[in-house]
Amino acid sequence: FLLLPFFLLFFLFLLLFLPTCITLAPTQDRVTVFSRIDTFVAFNVFQLFSQLLAIRQRLATQPPGTTRLVVIDSLAAILSPIVGAKTHGHALLQRVSRTLKALADDFSLAILTTNFSVNPVTPRPALGVAWSSGPNVRLAVRYPQDASSSTERVAEIAKSSLSPVHLCVTFAIEASGAT
């Protein structure tokens, strides 16, 4: 049996993921599940806005609750080049944040974005202070300091208005799924 985690990530793709957790046995079940996953390519911020608008229009025609999660990987790859530029990078970054929050509120979605970390000694998000007001909850996923296995990770709450920060959980990513 293959256990799918509640999210799947693809580099530089916008992923619209419909089911939340599924145990799959036969190949036909896998085909059915994967046929319900839509991916959208966005190589720059303007393509991202276009895809988010298309998703908004699509969600408006679906029954409520059909789509539960939108994953954007990697937001930093799209936004980092414009944040430090002498253009309107910061304004575009804030517009992405507002657009994602509105999409989440209007359609009761979870939005998951990924970001790079810089400085391995004291990790900081690659989008830095400019993105700090973007996410409502920020998780930092890292290898444990005493890693006994290459599959182990630690997820730590770095920012949350609902939970105390610095709470950690250790998990492993195996071929059978996350444990």
Side-chain angles (χ1 to χ4, degrees):
F1 285 29
L2 172 68
L3 178 65
L4 286 177
F6 75 96
F7 63 92
L8 298 173
L9 301 175
F10 294 97
F11 185 71
L12 287 177
F13 283 84
L14 182 67
L15 174 71
L16 184 63
F17 183 75
L18 302 176
T20 55
C21 187
I22 298 175
T23 301
L24 303 175
T27 304
Q28 184 58 37
D29 288 345
R30 288 188 204 127
V31 170
T32 301
V33 168
F34 289 118
S35 71
R36 295 172 59 192
I37 299 173
D38 293 325
T39 58
F40 303 92
V41 180
F43 292 108
N44 63 47
V45 70
F46 301 107
Q47 289 175 350
L48 176 64
F49 284 130
S50 176
Q51 294 299 344
L52 291 173
L53 178 61
I55 288 173
R56 173 174 282 287
Q57 292 168 343
R58 181 176 174 178
L59 291 172
T61 63
Q62 290 180 345
T66 303
T67 301
R68 302 268 185 216
L69 177 66
V70 174
V71 178
I72 302 174
D73 184 30
S74 160
L75 197 57
I78 294 172
L79 296 176
S80 290
I82 65 170
V83 170
K86 299 261 187 237
T87 61
H88 304 292
H90 186 71
L92 287 171
L93 185 85
Q94 294 307 312
R95 183 173 165 212
V96 168
S97 174
R98 285 191 309 271
T99 302
L100 292 173
K101 286 182 179 188
L103 196 63
D105 288 343
D106 295 347
F107 297 101
S108 300
L109 295 173
I111 307 283
L112 175 68
T113 63
T114 63
N115 190 358
F116 303 144
S117 291
V118 293
N119 191 350
V121 177
T122 57
R124 293 185 333 262
L127 291 174
V129 177
W131 184 247
S132 63
S133 64
N136 292 337
V137 176
R138 186 178 317 125
L139 298 176
V141 179
R142 59 180 165 75
Y143 288 102
Q145 292 175 349
D146 59 344
S148 59
S149 167
S150 64
T151 62
E152 288 183 358
R153 306 289 188 281
V154 173
E156 178 181 356
I157 298 175
K159 173 192 171 188
S160 175
S161 58
L162 302 174
S163 300
V165 294
H166 305 299
L167 288 178
C168 296
V169 63
T170 302
F171 63 98
I173 302 174
E174 306 284 343
S176 59
T179 56

